[in-house]
Amino acid sequence: MLAHDGHNCLDVDECLENNGGCQHTCVNVMGSYECCCKEGFFLSDNQHTCIHRSEEGLSCMNKDHGCSHICKEAPRGSVACECRPGFELAKNQRDCILTCNHGNGGCQHSCEDTADGPECSCHPQYKMHTDGRSCLEREDTVLEVTESNATSVVDGDKRVKRRLLMETCAVNNGGCDRTCKDTSTGVHCSCPVGFTLQLDGKTCKDIDECQTRNGGCDHFCKNTVGSFDCSCKKGFKLLTNEKSCQDMDECSLDRTCDHSCINHPGTFACACNRGYTLYGFTHCGDTNECSVNNGGCQQVCVNTVGSYECQCHPGYKLHWNKKDCVEVKGLLPTSVSPRVSLHCGKSGGGDGCFLRCHSGIHLSSGLQGAYSVTCGSSSPLRSKQQKSNDSAFGDVDTVRTSVTFKLNEGKCSLKKAELFPEGLRPALPEKHSSVKESFRYVNLTCSSGKQVPGAPGRPSASKEMFITVEFELETNQKEVTASCDLSCIVKRTEKRLRKAIRTLRKAVHREQFHLQLSGMNLDVAKKPPRTSERQAESCGVGQGHVENQCVSCRAGTYYDGAQERCILCPNGTFQNEEGQITCEPCPRPGNSWALKTPEAWNMSECGGLCQPGEYSADGFAPCQLCALGTFQPEAGRTSCFPCGGGLPTKHQGATSFQDCETRVQCSPGHFYNTTTHRCIRCPAGTFQPEFGKDNCVSCPGNTTTDFDGSTNITQCKNRRCGGELGDFTGYIESPNYPGNYPANTECTWTINPPPKRRILIVVPEIFLPIEDDCGDYLVMRKTSSSNSVTTYETCQTYERPIAFTSRSKKLWIQFKSNEGNSARGFQVPYVTYDEDYQELIEDIVRDGRLYASENHQEILKDKKLIKALFDVLAHPQNYFKYTAQESREMFPRSFIRLLRSKVSRFLRPYK
C-alpha cells in the first residue's frame, strides 16, 4: 500500500484479515503472505487448505518428498516439484527461487531478475539501505545551509527564500501525506476520498464513516482504511449497492423443505402435510399413528403412508367413528358392493383408461410432488387358519395384485385434466370398453426417482417417475358354477387382471390414464412441457391459491373442482385432514345434531357426541363417565381403555394414561410397563418427550435414533447418505442434513466426470465437532487407498467457505462419524468444467481476495448465486442467458471486478 509520503510502498499484512484465508497458520512476508500447516499436515495445491499426512506412504504423502513448495505425483511412483506463482524452480528441481513477480522480489522500489535472484535499486534522490532492499532519502546538498553566523536582514530573507524553495512537491512530496500541489504561496496538501486533512495541513487521517448514520448500511458497518464495508445479519444478503440488505427467500430455492416452506425475515420454517412429522428441520417422514395407544383403534391399527386405518377382527365391523368395532349379528354379507371401477378402451388411436372412485376416497401428499390416492376399503388380512375356521368368510376369496409403471421423464401431477380440447367425449362409453373391472379397494401412488442426465448444455430437470397401483377385489360363491369352483373363479379373475394391467400400461405411457374422483377428471402425471410451452402451472387437486402460492386445503375445508378453490365444510359435515376433496357427514344423519361451527375440522364438533372421558353404546348422548381404572382421550367412543396392571385412576372420567395412578413416575425417554410396574427405556427408533406415559412414539419415516432412551424428535435421524451426482453439477450432503448427522455412520461418493473435464468443489461451511479428537471427518482423494492423491481433508468446523479444484480427474469422497458428539455436517456442491479452463479456475480459487471480504464469502454460501456460477462453468454458452443488468444485480461490483480481471488476462494474455 502507498505510504503517507505518497512515494514509498508499505507491506500489507494479509494475515490480519480472516487469517489470509489459510486453514491453519498464516505467515506474512514482504509483499505477500504464505499459508503453513501444523505438524502432521501438508499444504494442498490451493495453497490455503491443509491435508492430513499419512504416516506411511510413497511420493507426496511422504513428508521427505523434498519439494520446497508444491509436490505433484509423477508416473512410476516418483514426484515432480512445482513452485508457487512468483517463484522459479531451481536447477536441482526441488528448491524454488524468488523472482520479482512475487512481492516485487522483496524490493521497496525497483526490482530486476538476475541469475542470482532479484536485484533491488532505488529511485533518484534515494540511496540503498544496507539490507539491500529498502531505500533512504538522500540529503539535499544543493539547498544545504552553509552560513552559520547569518544575523542580518539580508540573511533572514535568504533563509525565507531557502525555506520556500525547500517546500516543493518535488522534494519529499512537500511533506504531504497524500496529494501535493505547488502554488505561489508554497505547497498545498489534499487527501483522497475517505480521509480528512489535519490541522497541520499535511497529515491525512482516515474517516470512520460508520460513525455517521452507520455509513448508510442497513445492518452492520465495518470501518476500513480509507473506506468501509457493509454486511448483513444471517438470513439476509447484501444488494449490489453494497449498503442495503434484503431478506433471502430460502423458500424460492430447490430442496429447502420436503413439503411446505414459510419464509420469514431472516429465516424460514418448514411444515409437513397431515400424517407426516417434521425431522431434521426440513424433512417430512410418515407418522406411525399406530405406535401411540394403537392409534386409538379398539382392535387392529394399520399404518399407511400419510395416514392410518383401524380394522376389526372377523365377526366385527367398524363403527361409524372408524375406531371402535361392533359385533355383527348373524353372518357377514358374502360380498361388498364395489367402490372402484376401471374402464379402458380405444381413444385417439390408442388405449385410454379411467379409474373411477365412488366412495372411501383419501388423498395424501409425499415428498417432491409425490402423492397417494386410496379408494374403497381394504378387507382385513386373515391367516389360513382363520379362513378355514371362519364360516362367515368361507365363500369369499380376495384377489390382490400390485403393478409399477416406470416413466423415464415427467413429474407427478394430480391436476384437473383437459380431456376434450377438440370436442372429444370426456369419458369412455361403457359399451366400447375393452376392459371393465370393479374393485373393492385401490391404492395409487406416484413418486419421483433419480435425476435423468440431460444433454450437454441443458439442465437435468426431468426425473424418472414411478406409478404404483394396488388392486383388491373379491370373488364369492355366487360366481361358482358346476364347471368352475371358487379356485377356478380366482384363476379367471387373475387372468382378467393381467389383461387389464397390460392395457393400463399402454395407457400410462400414452398419458391416457386418468382418475375420476367425486366427478372430477384428473391427470395422474405429466411429462415436462417444452420450454416454449411452459406456462404458469395451476394448483394440484386439494390445493388452493394463497398469496400466489399453492397451499393444501386445510382441515375443515374441501377442494371444489368446479370453482378450483377451497370451500368451508357445510353444516352437518366435517373434515379432519388437509388436501381432501369432500367433507365427511356427521354420524346419525336425520337426527338434530348440529355443528358448533361451520368450519368443522374434527368429528367431535358434531353435536351430541360423548366427549373425552365419556362413552356410550353408540358414542352419542346420554353418556357415562369412564369408570375408575379406565380412560378415553377421544370423543364419540363406545368404550374406555383400561389402565392395565390393575392400576386405578385418580377420578372417574379420566382422559389419558397420565390420570392412572402408577407406582412410579416415568421421566421422558421412558415408558411405564404395566406388567412389571417399572419404567423402561424407549427402544432405539422411538422417543418420548413427556412424563408419565405408557408408550414411546415411533420415529417418522425411515429415521431412527442413535441410542435408546431418546427424549426428542430431533434425535430421530435419517441414516441415508444424501446427495445427487450428475455429470456436470451435483452435490453431496451428510445424512439427515441440515439436522445433526447420526452416530457410527459411513458414506462414500464417487465423482467420475466425462472425458476432458475437471472438478471444482465449493465447501460453503462444514460443521464437525472437534471434541472427539477427529472422530468425525470428511476426506476427498483420488481413490479409496490411503496412499492416493488427497485433495481435501478436515475434521473441524469451518464457517468460512473455501473453493478448490480436485488434484485428480476423479474424486472418491468419504465421510465417517463415531459414536461421540454430532453436528450439522455439510452440503457440498460441485461442478465439472472443460479442462481447457484449468489455469483460469485455479487462478480464481487460489486468490485470497476471493475469501478476504465477508461479502465474497456470502456469495460462496448463496445457493442461488452458486447455482448460476456453476451453470456457466458447466456450460459456458449459458453465460448468454444472463444479461449484463442481471449480472450486476446478482453480484457485488468487487466480485465482478475480481473475475473480470482474471478472465480478461486468461482470454487476452498479451493485450
Side-chain angles (χ1 to χ4, degrees), residues 82-149:
E82 292 183 4
C83 297
R84 293 193 291 271
F87 292 80
E88 290 181 351
L89 200 62
K91 292 180 181 178
N92 63 10
Q93 299 298 305
R94 290 286 187 270
D95 298 326
C96 293
I97 301 172
L98 179 69
T99 70
C100 294
N101 290 329
H102 183 82
N104 199 38
C107 301
Q108 187 174 6
H109 283 187
S110 302
C111 178
E112 185 176 348
D113 285 315
T114 68
D116 298 325
E119 186 176 288
C120 302
S121 59
C122 298
H123 299 319
Q125 299 178 353
Y126 289 83
K127 64 180 181 180
M128 182 65 68
H129 190 275
T130 54
D131 64 7
R133 296 183 176 187
S134 307
C135 296
L136 302 174
E137 188 178 359
R138 287 179 177 170
E139 295 180 4
D140 197 334
T141 56
V142 177
L143 297 175
E144 187 179 54
V145 178
T146 56
E147 298 178 15
S148 58
N149 299 319

Side-chain angles (χ1 to χ4, degrees), residues 61 345 414 441 644 786:
M61 292 293 106
L414 193 62
Y441 170 81
S786 60

Side-chain angles (χ1 to χ4, degrees), residues 448-467:
S448 297
K450 64 181 181 179
Q451 192 99 10
V452 177
R458 222 177 301 161
S460 308
S462 60
K463 293 186 177 182
E464 291 178 345
M465 188 179 60
F466 299 92
I467 298 174

Side-chain angles (χ1 to χ4, degrees), residues 34-53:
E34 295 178 357
C35 296
C36 299
C37 296
K38 299 173 185 175
E39 185 67 28
F41 293 81
F42 67 91
L43 202 62
S44 68
D45 281 357
N46 61 38
Q47 302 302 301
H48 287 83
T49 57
C50 295
I51 296 173
H52 190 266
R53 196 190 310 280

Side-chain angles (χ1 to χ4, degrees), residues 308-321:
Y308 74 105
E309 62 178 83
C310 298
Q311 294 182 356
C312 299
H313 298 312
Y316 291 84
K317 68 176 182 179
L318 204 60
H319 188 259
W320 57 258
N321 61 24

Side-chain angles (χ1 to χ4, degrees), residues 323-357:
K323 297 287 183 76
D324 292 316
C325 294
V326 180
E327 187 177 1
V328 177
K329 304 298 182 183
L331 295 179
L332 283 176
T334 56
S335 65
V336 178
S337 58
R339 300 184 177 185
V340 196
S341 59
L342 175 68
H343 293 271
C344 297
K346 298 296 180 182
S347 172
D351 292 293
C353 290
F354 266 89
L355 188 65
R356 295 172 181 161
C357 295

